[in-house]
Amino acid sequence: MSTKTRFAPSPTGYLHVGGARTALFSWLHARKHGGKYVLRIEDTDLQRSTTESINAILEAMTWLGLDYDEGPFYQTRRFDRYNEVIDELLEKNLAYRCNCSRERLDALREGQMQRKEKPRYDGHCRGQLVTDSEPHVIRFRNPVDGCVIIDDQVRGRIVFHNDELDDLIIRRTDGSPTYNLTVVVDDLDMEITDVIRGDDHVNNTPRQVNILKALGKEPPRYAHVPMILGDDGSRLSKRHGAVSVMEYRNQGILPEALLNYLVRLGWSHGDEELFTLDQMVEFFDIKDVNKAASAFNTEKLLWINQHYIKNADPARLARLLSIHLGDLGIDPATGPDLVAVVAEQRERARTLVEMAEISAFFYRDYEDFDEGAAKKHLKAAAQEPLQQLRDRFTLLDDWEKEKLHQAVTEVAGVLGLNMGKVAQPLRVAVTGRAASPGIDITLQLVGKEACLRRIDRALEYIGTRVEENAP
Ligand code: GLU
């Protein structure tokens, strides 16, 4: 049977990075083996599932580029099929009706807890005749002896003894099927060969295997992926910062950077850190995924993101950057060509949000000088060079970088100053900051009018500073 994997999120929130990594591993496994990838929305928990969450998950999958060959399938549309299987189990006496009252189950549980036993159903209704007309649940008749052996592709062999499992509920009193049943039926019907999922499901696996065997079917292969931890060693949660995939987009992370970062969380290939999607598909092997949990490291994500930003196509970056500029209230159509700006800024930012922040001055006057930069570079000694630059710039008809460069060099020459003493005050004057792309291209892109206006502002600032410091 050719490889088929699935990603089966419960739509009770956004897609978080842990889910995205599981989705990626499943996707890679399918792609590597030339197989198929299924998306299944496990929305049977009607109280907690929402349409917003379904949309958020689909959006995140699209953003990440994790394309699926089948689905999305919705479990809520498959109730007839689940009931068919439950009825089959009932008919074959592999499941039974149970009408144990809440009180009885509570008392049972309490007694077990007191005796320090694992709480489990005692099989009371196994031999009882419970009719269909009274309120009841359906329980799966779990084998009482023997064991379930799972050769997990990540965790190795895991053995569960059947006497530790109980007869789990597969249909609730309200007629709705439960998770372990729906997953089994779906994995079967969808012909899933490899179940790759979070290790919070390990304990469900023997139950699912027992149901499959009762139906006379072979279980798929399993791989349980360990969880992701925060930098303090506890399970990654909102407390540690962003956990939602789309929040990373909002923070200016590129999807390929997030995927590259996620693939390395718990998987490695030699010492390599950077992988294109094709390389991931080529090198990934589910068996190489670590058993131990891995910790999320934001610094590393930023480093990887910077790599992808540096190497991305400027036209694409410009499209993405325009959204982040929009968030700052800037319409890039009102200033220099964004692709040209991106070409200059590509190497200078770790995220697109950072790039938007350091590029804002191309499109509007900065609010204030960076304090440190102004203090260091906008002082009395800068007055003369700035004034001379202003005079030359005013006369310049051809506002392009070679001419601008020439003007700056000439002023430095005339005043006997090194370039830094002229270019740095000019940079702070024009950009408000001490760091920017090369001064000549910066001037060219900012444009003549804005440059002159900002130099005036810097001169004024120096003027007041000089006065304040006067004896
Ligand atoms: N719906 C389950 C979850 O979101 C996953 C079930 C599975 O992969 O078997 O945790």
Side-chain angles (χ1 to χ4, degrees), residues 6 8-10 42 179 183 197 201:
R6 82 312 195 268
S10 304
E42 304 207 321
Y179 160 74
V183 165
R197 61 183 169 198
H201 288 290

Side-chain angles (χ1 to χ4, degrees), residues 6-12 16 22 40-43 75 179 183 187 195-198 200-201 204 208 222 224:
R6 82 312 195 268
F7 178 52
S10 304
T12 54
H16 57 85
T22 307
R40 182 166 83 219
I41 305 291
E42 304 207 321
D43 55 350
Q75 289 193 321
Y179 160 74
V183 165
D187 286 342
V195 169
I196 297 170
R197 61 183 169 198
D200 45 335
H201 288 290
N204 288 320
Q208 294 174 13
Y222 292 95
H224 288 94

Side-chain angles (χ1 to χ4, degrees), residues 15-300:
L15 180 63
H16 57 85
V17 287
R21 187 188 55 161
T22 307
L24 172 63
F25 284 177
S26 278
W27 184 89
L28 287 172
H29 189 77
R31 295 291 170 256
K32 173 161 194 92
H33 297 281
K36 291 225 156 86
Y37 184 57
V38 174
L39 179 63
R40 182 166 83 219
I41 305 291
E42 304 207 321
D43 55 350
T44 54
D45 184 340
L46 301 176
Q47 243 92 54
R48 296 177 60 224
S49 302
T50 64
T51 314
E52 292 77 48
S53 168
I54 294 174
N55 290 338
I57 291 168
L58 296 178
E59 188 188 15
M61 294 291 283
T62 305
W63 182 65
L64 288 171
L66 298 179
D67 55 335
Y68 30 91
D69 307 294
E70 291 176 22
F73 296 112
Y74 295 86
Q75 289 193 321
T76 43
R77 299 194 194 151
R78 290 178 41 81
F79 275 28
D80 288 350
R81 172 66 185 136
Y82 304 136
N83 280 323
E84 201 176 279
V85 174
I86 293 170
D87 291 342
E88 180 189 333
L89 288 167
L90 268 177
E91 237 164 71
K92 293 184 174 158
N93 203 24
L94 296 165
Y96 60 91
R97 297 189 185 90
C98 163
N99 63 354
C100 285
S101 64
R102 174 86 352 248
E103 292 73 35
R104 180 178 184 280
L105 294 175
D106 285 348
L108 175 69
R109 188 186 169 82
E110 217 162 280
Q112 287 166 334
M113 302 274 270
Q114 267 168 17
R115 294 192 297 279
K116 305 226 180 312
E117 291 169 13
K118 203 167 137 194
R120 53 206 288 276
Y121 181 63
D122 60 357
H124 178 263
C125 287
R126 274 188 164 223
Q128 310 280 342
L129 193 70
V130 179
T131 62
D132 198 23
S133 54
E134 56 189 305
H136 64 272
V137 298
I138 310 285
R139 288 185 185 271
F140 172 66
R141 196 182 289 275
N142 200 75
V144 280
D145 42 36
C147 51
V148 181
I149 297 172
I150 290 149
D151 284 314
D152 191 283
Q153 300 199 79
V154 170
R155 297 168 59 116
R157 177 162 286 200
I158 320 175
V159 179
F160 295 89
H161 294 275
N162 274 323
D163 60 10
E164 282 176 17
L165 305 172
D166 60 359
D167 293 345
L168 86 143
I169 297 174
I170 52 176
R171 182 157 68 201
R172 301 182 189 89
T173 318
D174 66 6
S176 62
T178 60
Y179 160 74
N180 278 301
L181 188 279
T182 58
V183 165
V184 163
V185 176
D186 286 350
D187 286 342
L188 208 54
D189 288 358
M190 295 166 195
E191 300 182 320
I192 302 300
T193 58
D194 294 78
V195 169
I196 297 170
R197 61 183 169 198
D199 68 0
D200 45 335
H201 288 290
V202 165
N203 290 329
N204 288 320
T205 308
R207 300 172 177 285
Q208 294 174 13
V209 168
N210 279 331
I211 300 177
L212 280 163
K213 284 187 179 154
L215 292 168
K217 306 291 182 191
E218 273 305 305
R221 281 183 294 267
Y222 292 95
H224 288 94
V225 179
M227 61 180 160
I228 301 178
L229 306 176
D231 46 16
D232 59 355
S234 66
R235 194 190 185 103
L236 186 71
S237 72
K238 268 195 189 147
R239 216 155 33 81
H240 299 103
V243 281
S244 147
V245 164
M246 295 318 275
E247 222 171 301
Y248 284 97
R249 182 190 64 177
N250 298 343
Q251 292 183 2
I253 301 290
L254 295 176
E256 63 268 37
L258 188 58
L259 288 177
N260 190 150
Y261 176 71
L262 289 176
V263 84
R264 283 283 294 107
L265 261 186
W267 173 81
S268 56
H269 179 73
D271 293 334
E272 284 165 51
E273 291 293 356
L274 300 167
F275 300 91
T276 62
L277 216 48
D278 285 346
Q279 287 170 326
M280 286 186 211
V281 171
E282 185 183 343
F283 300 137
F284 183 77
D285 189 334
I286 189 70
K287 295 196 184 80
D288 293 338
V289 171
N290 280 343
K291 279 199 228 344
S294 17
F296 200 86
N297 178 340
T298 307
E299 278 304 306
K300 188 165 165 196

